[in-house]
Amino acid sequence: MAASTIIMMTENYKKFNKIFTVLLRFVGTFAAFLMHFIVAIKLGASDAGVFYIVFAISSIASTISRLGLDYAVTKFVSEYGSSNKAELVSYIYSFSVKAIILTSIPITGLLLLANNILAIYVFKSPEMVPVLYVMTLGILPYSLLIMTAHAFQGSGEIVLAIFYQVILHPLLMSVLFLTVFSEQGVKGAALAFALSALICFVAVSFVWFRKNTVRALKGDITKTSILLVSIPILVSFLAQQALQHTPILLLGIFATSEQTGVYSVVHRLASVVSIAVIAANFIVAPKAASYFSLNEISKLQRVAHRGSEVSLVVGMPILLFLLFFSPFILSLFGDEYIVGKLALVILLIGQVSNLLNGSGSVLLMMTAGQNKFMQINIVGFIVCLVLSLVLIPIYESTAAAISVSIALCLINIRRYYAAKNIVGVSSLPRIPGLF
């Protein structure tokens, strides 16, 4: 009787923890939405366009500087943490920090040198010069913040991972932008982003070292073995980041900064739907790595189904709300953003494939499918790039939305079949009569 009671209490705690994690992720979504809402309203569409072009450049640079180590850290920390090999966890984290620092410094230097060329000659926007300068300096702390949050995710401290990366950073940026840097326009938004990233990294790294005091020992893992996992993830996520940001950059070249700002806000709104996928995958990722390493495929299948079901059940109401109330929602940002209604509808159609294949990406990343995941993302990016180059000079923001949605649907279809063939697991939700 006592044993069954303990088991029941444990199961209830696990369910509560999952629900709390999803709710916390939605708090993070609200924090990010608030940040972009403040940027859009305070700057207006034109200056917001400048900010998001620079943000796109910095995001791609940050992805390169992380070398895919953020997701590799999640995978390895989950595997070795479950085996009580704390010294290896410390070694992997230490190596990742050093590697990101060594990569970020030259990338930052190159961007600083190319600042004027990019701002004045490529995007024909001289006011972008100080903004790009400031955001470039924030690449290193932002990269280390993301990697450390992923380390907490791998160790099972999902609440800490979500809090520092997804909640504290955008909230702190919003506060800094509204107070300390309120009179500095688009440069103030960049300063708020970079400073909040630095503060959050210092805070999260302090907590990490307080919790992980075991001395780092190399053991049976090598730097090469870490990089063999991380590099395919780097290429995969670089292609994924490029898919999301290339239309923004091309709009910055072929269209006005105002049109770029409108599309950027619309893109951020549509991305709110995928927060359901991200929240579910925060839970699925460490379990997928652990179950696959133990060859417990039946448990892996259950957690994959559950992740996709959570994504669909939570994400679909958000998608429908954005779809039916799009003019009103866009008007909250300002009347100049309402013209993005069609682009928003098109992007939401693409997001349906993300909800249906919620666990597809994490199944490939956390198991034996990293290389296939990389190939799929590269092909998706190429499709998006070709469509964008052909259509954006003519149809502008509508073309950007079409390019991204077609690429997303193609990627998710291929991820589903790849997970089925490589891992032997279906990433579709269990819907009676459909899947």
Side-chain angles (χ1 to χ4, degrees):
M1 182 69 179
S4 62
T5 302
I6 293 172
I7 292 172
M8 186 180 295
M9 290 177 63
T10 303
E11 290 300 318
N12 288 337
Y13 173 77
K14 288 179 179 179
K15 289 179 182 178
F16 171 78
N17 198 40
K18 290 177 183 178
I19 294 171
F20 181 70
T21 300
V22 172
L23 290 175
L24 197 63
R25 200 60 177 81
F26 274 94
V27 173
T29 302
F30 174 76
F33 178 83
L34 179 65
M35 180 189 79
H36 293 298
F37 181 73
I38 290 170
V39 167
I41 286 185
K42 195 166 174 60
L43 296 181
S46 183
D47 281 350
V50 172
F51 174 80
Y52 284 117
I53 290 170
V54 174
F55 183 81
I57 295 170
S58 300
S59 296
I60 292 171
S62 175
T63 300
I64 297 171
S65 71
R66 296 198 302 273
L67 296 172
L69 287 166
D70 41 356
Y71 284 90
V73 163
T74 300
K75 177 181 173 67
F76 284 119
V77 169
S78 176
E79 289 180 9
Y80 291 116
S82 61
S83 303
N84 295 317
K85 296 181 179 178
E87 69 283 354
L88 284 177
V89 169
S90 296
Y91 172 78
I92 293 164
Y93 179 79
S94 176
F95 166 73
S96 299
V97 168
K98 293 173 185 175
I100 289 174
I101 291 172
L102 289 174
T103 310
S104 294
I105 290 173
I107 289 174
T108 299
L110 285 172
L111 278 177
L112 291 175
L113 289 173
N115 192 347
N116 286 356
I117 296 173
L118 289 171
I120 297 172
Y121 297 104
V122 176
F123 295 103
K124 298 177 176 58
S125 178
E127 66 271 22
M128 190 184 293
V129 172
V131 184
L132 183 55
Y133 179 84
V134 171
M135 287 284 275
T136 299
L137 295 177
I139 290 172
L140 176 58
Y142 184 63
S143 299
L144 291 173
L145 165 64
I146 292 175
M147 190 277 295
T148 305
H150 277 269
F152 273 120
Q153 182 186 353
S155 65
E157 299 275 6
I158 298 174
V159 170
L160 287 175
I162 294 174
F163 174 73
Y164 283 103
Q165 180 188 343
V166 185
I167 297 177
L168 184 60
H169 180 233
L171 280 181
L172 186 57
M173 177 187 165
S174 299
V175 171
L176 289 172
F177 185 38
L178 288 173
T179 56
V180 181
F181 305 115
S182 62
E183 302 300 322
Q184 298 191 45
V186 65
K187 182 183 176 182
L191 284 165
F193 181 88
L195 182 57
S196 59
L198 176 62
I199 293 170
C200 289
F201 166 64
V202 171
V204 74
S205 59
F206 174 78
V207 176
W208 173 266
F209 287 115
R210 284 288 301 270
K211 286 178 169 287
N212 296 271
T213 57
V214 178
R215 183 172 173 267
L217 293 175
K218 188 174 181 180
D220 58 355
I221 192 169
T222 64
K223 296 174 183 177
T224 302
S225 63
I226 297 173
L227 291 173
L228 283 174
V229 172
S230 73
I231 295 302
I233 295 176
L234 162 64
V235 178
S236 301
F237 272 88
L238 185 57
Q240 193 165 300
Q241 284 280 312
L243 185 151
Q244 300 296 329
H245 293 301
T246 294
I248 294 173
L249 296 176
L250 290 176
L251 281 171
I253 295 171
F254 295 115
T256 65
S257 59
E258 183 175 350
Q259 290 168 321
T260 307
V262 170
Y263 174 79
S264 298
V265 167
V266 165
H267 177 260
R268 296 287 163 187
L269 271 175
S271 298
V272 170
V273 175
S274 65
I275 214 69
V277 179
I278 297 170
N281 285 344
F282 256 88
I283 300 169
V284 171
K287 290 186 176 182
S290 179
Y291 290 151
F292 185 77
S293 66
L294 298 172
N295 198 33
E296 295 181 341
I297 303 302
S298 61
K299 290 184 178 180
L300 180 58
Q301 177 62 83
R302 283 200 298 272
V303 79
H305 276 319
R306 187 63 59 84
S308 293
E309 287 160 8
V310 169
S311 299
L312 186 62
V313 170
V314 176
M316 189 55 73
I318 300 172
L319 186 147
L320 293 174
F321 178 78
L322 290 172
L323 184 64
F324 289 115
F325 296 97
S326 54
F328 168 72
I329 295 169
L330 288 169
S331 70
L332 295 176
F333 291 85
D335 291 341
E336 56 193 334
Y337 291 98
I338 298 176
V339 295
K341 177 187 173 182
L342 178 58
L344 177 58
V345 171
I346 295 169
L347 288 170
L348 289 173
I349 292 171
Q351 285 294 334
V352 173
S353 66
N354 266 344
L355 295 179
L356 290 174
N357 191 41
S359 300
S361 60
V362 80
L363 279 176
L364 294 174
M365 281 189 298
M366 295 293 115
T367 58
Q370 295 100 333
N371 290 331
K372 191 64 178 179
F373 181 74
M374 174 182 67
Q375 294 168 14
I376 291 169
N377 282 358
I378 290 173
V379 172
F381 163 65
I382 293 171
V383 170
C384 180
L385 177 62
V386 172
L387 289 173
S388 296
L389 285 171
V390 172
L391 299 176
I392 283 178
I394 305 170
Y395 301 107
E396 298 173 339
S397 61
T398 302
I402 291 171
S403 303
V404 170
S405 289
I406 290 175
L408 269 180
C409 291
L410 175 64
I411 285 171
N412 279 300
I413 290 169
R414 296 193 66 203
R415 282 177 183 171
Y416 165 74
Y417 284 108
K420 192 78 172 172
N421 294 332
I422 296 172
V423 190
V425 169
S426 170
S427 56
L428 292 176
R430 291 169 294 189
I431 302 177
L434 289 179
F435 306 123

Short mmCIF file of all heavy atoms in Angstrom, two decimals, residues 5 7 20 73 85 93 131 220 225 255 258 263 283 290 307 334 341 373 398 411 418:
data_model
loop_
_atom_site.label_atom_id
_atom_site.label_comp_id
_atom_site.label_asym_id
_atom_site.label_seq_id
_atom_site.Cartn_x
_atom_site.Cartn_y
_atom_site.Cartn_z
N THR A 5 1.39 4.02 -3.02
CA THR A 5 1.14 5.44 -2.76
C THR A 5 2.33 6.29 -3.21
O THR A 5 2.16 7.35 -3.81
CB THR A 5 0.89 5.68 -1.25
OG1 THR A 5 -0.22 4.88 -0.83
CG2 THR A 5 0.60 7.15 -0.98
N ILE A 7 4.52 5.46 -5.50
CA ILE A 7 4.56 5.43 -6.97
C ILE A 7 3.57 6.43 -7.55
O ILE A 7 3.86 7.17 -8.48
CB ILE A 7 4.26 4.01 -7.50
CG1 ILE A 7 5.41 3.07 -7.12
CG2 ILE A 7 4.06 4.03 -9.01
CD1 ILE A 7 5.13 1.62 -7.42
N PHE A 20 3.86 22.24 -15.53
CA PHE A 20 4.51 23.47 -15.08
C PHE A 20 5.54 23.95 -16.10
O PHE A 20 5.66 25.15 -16.37
CB PHE A 20 5.17 23.25 -13.73
CG PHE A 20 5.85 24.48 -13.18
CD1 PHE A 20 5.09 25.56 -12.73
CD2 PHE A 20 7.23 24.56 -13.12
CE1 PHE A 20 5.71 26.69 -12.23
CE2 PHE A 20 7.85 25.69 -12.62
CZ PHE A 20 7.09 26.75 -12.17
N VAL A 73 25.63 19.59 -26.14
CA VAL A 73 25.72 19.60 -24.68
C VAL A 73 24.47 18.98 -24.06
O VAL A 73 24.55 18.19 -23.11
CB VAL A 73 25.94 21.04 -24.16
CG1 VAL A 73 25.62 21.15 -22.68
CG2 VAL A 73 27.37 21.47 -24.41
N LYS A 85 28.10 10.40 -14.17
CA LYS A 85 29.48 10.74 -14.54
C LYS A 85 29.63 12.26 -14.53
O LYS A 85 29.78 12.90 -15.57
CB LYS A 85 29.83 10.14 -15.89
CG LYS A 85 29.81 8.61 -15.91
CD LYS A 85 30.18 8.08 -17.29
CE LYS A 85 30.19 6.54 -17.29
NZ LYS A 85 30.52 5.99 -18.63
N TYR A 93 31.04 20.73 -20.55
CA TYR A 93 30.64 22.13 -20.41
C TYR A 93 31.86 23.05 -20.56
O TYR A 93 31.82 24.05 -21.28
CB TYR A 93 29.97 22.37 -19.06
CG TYR A 93 29.56 23.81 -18.85
CD1 TYR A 93 28.41 24.32 -19.43
CD2 TYR A 93 30.36 24.68 -18.11
CE1 TYR A 93 28.05 25.65 -19.26
CE2 TYR A 93 30.01 26.00 -17.94
CZ TYR A 93 28.86 26.48 -18.51
OH TYR A 93 28.51 27.80 -18.35
N VAL A 131 24.09 50.44 -34.68
CA VAL A 131 23.23 49.35 -34.21
C VAL A 131 23.94 48.01 -34.40
O VAL A 131 23.99 47.16 -33.49
CB VAL A 131 21.88 49.35 -34.96
CG1 VAL A 131 20.97 48.26 -34.40
CG2 VAL A 131 21.22 50.71 -34.86
N ASP A 220 36.36 8.97 -21.05
CA ASP A 220 36.36 8.25 -22.32
C ASP A 220 35.76 9.06 -23.46
O ASP A 220 35.41 8.51 -24.51
CB ASP A 220 35.60 6.93 -22.18
CG ASP A 220 34.16 7.14 -21.72
OD1 ASP A 220 33.80 8.30 -21.43
OD2 ASP A 220 33.41 6.15 -21.67
N SER A 225 35.04 13.60 -30.60
CA SER A 225 33.73 12.94 -30.52
C SER A 225 32.61 13.94 -30.24
O SER A 225 31.49 13.78 -30.71
CB SER A 225 33.75 11.84 -29.45
OG SER A 225 33.98 12.38 -28.16
N ALA A 255 13.65 45.64 -50.66
CA ALA A 255 12.45 46.40 -50.28
C ALA A 255 12.85 47.51 -49.30
O ALA A 255 14.03 47.71 -49.01
CB ALA A 255 11.41 45.47 -49.66
N GLU A 258 10.71 49.77 -43.93
CA GLU A 258 9.36 49.68 -43.37
C GLU A 258 8.72 48.33 -43.70
O GLU A 258 8.12 47.69 -42.83
CB GLU A 258 8.48 50.81 -43.90
CG GLU A 258 7.08 50.81 -43.30
CD GLU A 258 6.25 52.01 -43.74
OE1 GLU A 258 6.83 52.93 -44.35
OE2 GLU A 258 5.05 52.03 -43.46
N TYR A 263 7.16 42.72 -42.10
CA TYR A 263 7.31 41.28 -42.24
C TYR A 263 7.96 40.67 -40.99
O TYR A 263 7.57 39.58 -40.55
CB TYR A 263 8.16 40.92 -43.46
CG TYR A 263 8.44 39.44 -43.55
CD1 TYR A 263 7.47 38.55 -44.01
CD2 TYR A 263 9.65 38.92 -43.09
CE1 TYR A 263 7.70 37.19 -44.04
CE2 TYR A 263 9.90 37.55 -43.12
CZ TYR A 263 8.92 36.69 -43.60
OH TYR A 263 9.17 35.34 -43.60
N ILE A 283 11.12 19.00 -22.98
CA ILE A 283 10.94 17.78 -22.18
C ILE A 283 11.39 16.56 -22.96
O ILE A 283 12.03 15.66 -22.41
CB ILE A 283 9.45 17.64 -21.78
CG1 ILE A 283 9.01 18.85 -20.96
CG2 ILE A 283 9.22 16.35 -20.99
CD1 ILE A 283 7.51 18.92 -20.73
N SER A 290 18.37 9.87 -23.73
CA SER A 290 18.56 8.82 -22.73
C SER A 290 17.97 7.49 -23.18
O SER A 290 18.63 6.44 -23.11
CB SER A 290 17.92 9.26 -21.40
OG SER A 290 18.06 8.27 -20.42
N GLY A 307 5.04 14.19 -27.12
CA GLY A 307 5.55 15.51 -27.48
C GLY A 307 4.77 16.14 -28.62
O GLY A 307 4.40 17.32 -28.57
N GLY A 334 0.33 48.81 -34.35
CA GLY A 334 0.24 50.07 -35.08
C GLY A 334 -0.44 49.85 -36.41
O GLY A 334 -0.35 48.77 -37.00
N LYS A 341 -1.22 41.29 -43.06
CA LYS A 341 -2.21 40.26 -42.78
C LYS A 341 -2.04 39.02 -43.66
O LYS A 341 -2.04 37.89 -43.19
CB LYS A 341 -3.62 40.82 -42.94
CG LYS A 341 -4.72 39.78 -42.74
CD LYS A 341 -6.10 40.34 -43.07
CE LYS A 341 -7.15 39.24 -43.03
NZ LYS A 341 -8.50 39.74 -43.41
N PHE A 373 19.28 15.03 -40.47
CA PHE A 373 18.67 16.29 -40.04
C PHE A 373 19.37 17.45 -40.74
O PHE A 373 18.72 18.40 -41.21
CB PHE A 373 18.80 16.42 -38.51
CG PHE A 373 18.19 17.66 -37.93
CD1 PHE A 373 16.82 17.78 -37.82
CD2 PHE A 373 18.99 18.69 -37.48
CE1 PHE A 373 16.25 18.93 -37.26
CE2 PHE A 373 18.43 19.83 -36.92
CZ PHE A 373 17.06 19.95 -36.82
N THR A 398 4.92 39.22 -49.13
CA THR A 398 4.09 38.05 -49.43
C THR A 398 4.95 36.92 -49.97
O THR A 398 4.77 35.75 -49.60
CB THR A 398 3.00 38.41 -50.47
OG1 THR A 398 2.20 39.47 -49.95
CG2 THR A 398 2.12 37.21 -50.75
N ILE A 411 10.39 20.47 -45.25
CA ILE A 411 11.29 20.01 -44.19
C ILE A 411 10.58 19.05 -43.25
O ILE A 411 11.12 17.99 -42.89
CB ILE A 411 11.84 21.23 -43.41
CG1 ILE A 411 12.90 21.95 -44.24
CG2 ILE A 411 12.42 20.81 -42.07
CD1 ILE A 411 13.34 23.28 -43.66
N ALA A 418 12.32 10.51 -42.19
CA ALA A 418 13.67 10.21 -41.72
C ALA A 418 13.64 9.59 -40.33
O ALA A 418 14.35 8.60 -40.06
CB ALA A 418 14.51 11.49 -41.70
#
